[in-house]
Every structure is written in structure tokens, then in C-alpha cells.
Amino acid sequence: MRVSVNWLREFTPFAGDIQDLADRLTMLGLEVEEIAHPFAGLDKVVVGKVVECAKHPEADKLSLTRVDAGQGELLPIVCGAPNVAAGQTVAVALVGANLPGGISIKKSKIRGAESRGMICAEDELGLGESHAGIMVLDGALAAGAPLAEALGLDTEVLEVSITPNRADCLSVLGVAREVALAFGLPLALPRAAVNEQGPGRAEDFFRIELPEPELCPSYLGRMLAGVKVGPSPDRVRWRLLAAGLRPISNIVDVTNYVMFELGQPLHAFDRALLAGGLIRVARASEGMRFTTLDNAERVLNANDLLIWDAEKPVGLAGVMGGANTEMRDDSTEVFLESAVFRPGSIRKTARRLGIPSESSYRFERGVDQPGSRKALDRAAALMAEFSGGRVLP
């Protein structure tokens, strides 16, 4: 499991040497296999200020810029982005930089104009997938500051090997608890207060049925309305990248963020695609077929556990959601699930179908049942904050 040291420090104020931390965790049975640097490709990328910007006389789609990158002189940089303009604060890759996508920056001449660096888009820095234009940064950032430091990126990540009996450590909070005990430090818990708003209550829209509680002893749900699906805040997207996950949207990213933070897998359904006001956790029938979020059709057996609405299966319990109820760009309502499943059931399904997911990895080892409510509330609060939606009582 990947544990960001910056994220760890939000729970406990460890200020010592990272190697000492890794050694102590290893001696406690949480073997640190590596201290990774997920944004090492940004070592020669700094904050820059575009002082001048003019059209290239030999190319309509290129601009000639002069950039203050804290190097003691203004750097001439030829830029092909349509959105570059004087006065912007930008990310500048200096000569000698080797960017995550394999681009090496050298002094060059482009259509006869000298260029000593590159003004970067987020995909060129490994900070996202957009190539629509250059990244425009907060104007308060200082020219010449290392970009990773200026953006507060998680530059040190512990690769921790968690043994099967330590499911309590499959989260940043779980590892932070061990660090606090080992070094005599306080432990802070994340805020999970929810601002509930009507009209209506979640119970007006859904009831939950658990016909086999030995397979699913707890299933909790919350509903959000008025959400606007879009990108997550930068700090969330970049933290997920450091943890090895691809950001998707402000709704889906929250489920992954809270899973890494607290160890509780969550799932967000598009509420409009759930039929009949019912959520039921029940077995599949022998040989039935179900299409998961990765658009693969799975052939199930009678021991596989499914999440159903009133008409159809909508999720493979503890493993992966269904393609038929996934959040879309135009979704406006969310049904948020936080459940506890029997570990053996999830393990058998995930392994037989060959679906090793972050969720099943945790469920098959056991999750904290009382903590599932805290994770639900934490995720609902963040979804409302990031999407502008409201959490129903």
C-alpha cells in the first residue's frame, strides 16, 4: 500500500527523518519496501511568470515569451499553447529536465527563435490528462520556486507491505495510528460532520433489505441531490495520483480518497438509474451475467453477492460497481454506499473472476464496522463540498 508522508502528517505530527520512520514501521511488522518519489520527474520544473508574450512572426500557432523563472534572467521560451498570455503564473521545465512523459528539455531553436525551456500543460507533468492548454497557477506563487514544493505535492510515499492479519493498517489513518504509538505523538481524526439539508429525507427515496445478514451485516446509504459532476480539487487529484490511482471526477474521487484515508471502500451510484426505491443485498443466480464498471461481462454463480435495486443487479458486492448505474457527467443525484461484507465471500468472488480491486483487497481482509458510518459521513461531506450538492437527512 502507498502511504503519502504528507498525508500521514495530517493525522500525526511526525517531523523526523523519513528513513527512521520507515525503519520503525518495518520493525513493527509493517515492512516498508521502498520510499518512492512519485513526482521525481518534476525535479527541474519551477514556477515562472510570463513577462512578455507576442506572436511568432513565422508561425501563427506559436508565441514568443520571456519568462521569469527565478534564474537571474528572463528565459526566452517558444510556446504553442493557445492560452498563454503575459502576466500568467505557469509551470516551467528548465533545460535539463526529464518530464514524466519522456520529454527531455534542451536548448533549441524553433522556427528560428531561441527557446530555453518549456511552459507545461498538466499532462506533460503527470498531474492530469488535459492538454487543452498550459497550466495556469496561482499568481501568489513565487517565481523560481520548485513546482512540487509550491503545489504541496506528496513527494515522499512509503510502499508498505501489509500482512493479511493487519487489515487495520490498510489506510493512512491505520498507519498513522501505529506511528503515533511508536513515537509518542497525538493522533487527529478527520472531520466527518455532515450538513444535512432537505427537502425530503433519504428514507423517502430508499429502503434497504438484507435477506442474508451473515453475508452483509451492515449496509448504510446516504443520498445527495443537486450535485454537479466535474473535476476534483487539485489537491485531491494530485494526492490520488501519488497513491497510484487515476482521478475520475469529484464524486468518484471522493470514494477513493476516503477509502485510502480511512480504509472503508465506498461506492457512488447515479440515483436516477436505480429503480423502485429499493436496495437489496442478495446472491446472484447460477449462470447469470452482469456487466461491471470496466464494461466486462461476468458470468456469476449462486455464491456471488450482488447489490440489487427493485429490478436488476447494480453492483458486484465488495468488488466492483455495475456499468448500468455509474456516475455520468450529467448526473445530479448520488446514492452513496458504505457496507460491510463477509470477507470470505468477497475473496472467493474476486479471485474466481480475476478482479483484484482496491475495494476487494480491503473487504476480503475485513473492515471496521463502526468506522463504516464515519467514512460514509466523511465522504458525503466532501462530495457536497466539491460538487455543490446537498446531503439529505
Side-chain angles (χ1 to χ4, degrees):
M1 188 183 72
R2 296 166 69 95
V3 179
S4 156
V5 175
N6 281 349
W7 202 349
L8 188 80
R9 286 173 174 149
E10 293 179 9
F11 292 93
T12 190
F14 177 80
D17 181 75
I18 303 304
Q19 188 61 57
D20 289 344
L21 172 63
D23 292 343
R24 182 70 67 89
L25 286 173
T26 298
M27 293 304 294
L28 290 171
L30 305 178
E31 181 183 0
V32 177
E33 298 178 337
E34 180 186 2
I35 301 174
H37 303 275
F39 299 110
L42 306 184
D43 283 349
K44 297 199 72 173
V45 181
V46 300
V47 175
K49 307 280 185 178
V50 181
V51 178
E52 300 174 11
C53 182
K55 286 296 182 185
H56 194 301
E58 302 296 330
D60 291 340
K61 293 185 178 180
L62 298 179
S63 298
L64 302 179
T65 70
R66 287 167 62 81
V67 180
D68 177 7
Q71 306 302 299
E73 61 176 329
L74 297 183
L75 300 180
I77 299 177
V78 178
C79 181
N83 64 327
V84 66
Q88 290 174 333
T89 300
V90 295
V92 178
L94 302 175
V95 171
N98 294 297
L99 300 181
I103 301 173
S104 296
I105 308 302
K106 302 175 182 177
K107 291 182 182 179
S108 61
K109 282 200 171 184
I110 301 175
R111 295 288 186 96
E114 182 185 20
S115 188
R116 290 161 51 195
M118 185 171 81
I119 304 174
C120 300
E122 67 173 28
D123 66 329
E124 294 163 335
L125 300 173
L127 296 177
E129 299 180 353
S130 174
H131 195 70
I134 58 169
M135 283 184 74
V136 179
L137 307 176
D138 184 345
L141 298 178
L147 184 70
E149 179 182 312
L151 298 182
L153 299 181
D154 294 338
T155 55
E156 295 174 306
V157 173
L158 306 178
E159 293 273 6
V160 186
S161 178
I162 307 295
T163 54
N165 64 320
R166 293 306 307 271
D168 59 303
C169 291
L170 288 173
S171 66
V172 180
L173 174 61
V175 176
R177 184 187 297 117
E178 297 298 309
V179 173
L181 287 167
F183 291 92
L185 299 172
L187 183 72
L189 299 180
R191 176 180 56 85
V194 180
N195 178 24
E196 298 181 326
Q197 301 178 57
R201 299 179 61 84
E203 293 92 331
D204 299 336
F205 296 89
F206 285 99
R207 69 184 190 279
I208 296 172
E209 293 182 357
L210 306 178
E212 294 188 79
E214 69 277 8
L215 295 179
C216 179
S218 173
Y219 189 103
L220 306 173
R222 274 197 174 276
M223 185 175 156
L224 289 87
V227 306
K228 183 174 178 56
V229 177
S232 295
D234 290 343
R235 63 181 177 85
V236 171
R237 293 191 296 116
W238 297 336
R239 181 155 281 175
L240 290 177
L241 286 170
L245 288 182
R246 180 177 66 89
I248 297 172
S249 73
N250 50 1
I251 301 301
V252 177
D253 291 352
V254 164
T255 63
N256 288 324
Y257 187 89
V258 174
M259 176 181 67
F260 268 87
E261 183 181 59
L262 302 180
Q264 171 67 50
L266 304 157
H267 186 68
F269 298 94
D270 183 331
R271 204 286 300 182
L273 301 178
L274 295 172
L278 172 68
I279 290 292
R280 183 168 58 94
V281 185
R283 297 174 191 259
S285 57
E286 191 69 33
M288 74 177 295
R289 297 175 181 271
F290 178 67
T291 302
T292 45
L293 277 172
D294 56 0
N295 289 315
E297 187 179 67
R298 314 287 180 175
V299 180
L300 308 182
N301 67 31
N303 292 317
D304 295 325
L305 197 61
L306 289 169
I307 313 300
W308 301 72
D309 64 14
E311 299 174 357
K312 62 187 179 297
V314 296
L316 189 57
V319 180
M320 190 177 290
N324 55 359
T325 51
E326 69 177 316
M327 294 297 300
R328 304 165 299 182
D329 291 344
D330 60 350
S331 299
T332 60
E333 295 180 323
V334 179
F335 181 77
L336 177 61
E337 163 196 293
S338 181
V340 178
F341 302 109
R342 183 178 179 180
S345 171
I346 305 305
R347 181 173 61 253
K348 290 174 183 177
T349 294
R351 293 185 181 181
R352 183 176 58 78
L353 296 176
I355 314 177
S357 68
E358 292 285 354
S359 292
S360 65
Y361 184 74
R362 287 162 174 80
F363 277 127
E364 65 188 41
R365 286 160 175 79
V367 298
D368 174 22
Q369 183 165 329
S372 65
R373 174 58 186 267
K374 294 183 177 67
L376 179 71
D377 288 347
R378 169 73 167 158
L382 289 176
M383 284 183 184
E385 177 185 344
F386 298 164
S387 71
R390 67 181 192 279
V391 183
L392 271 62

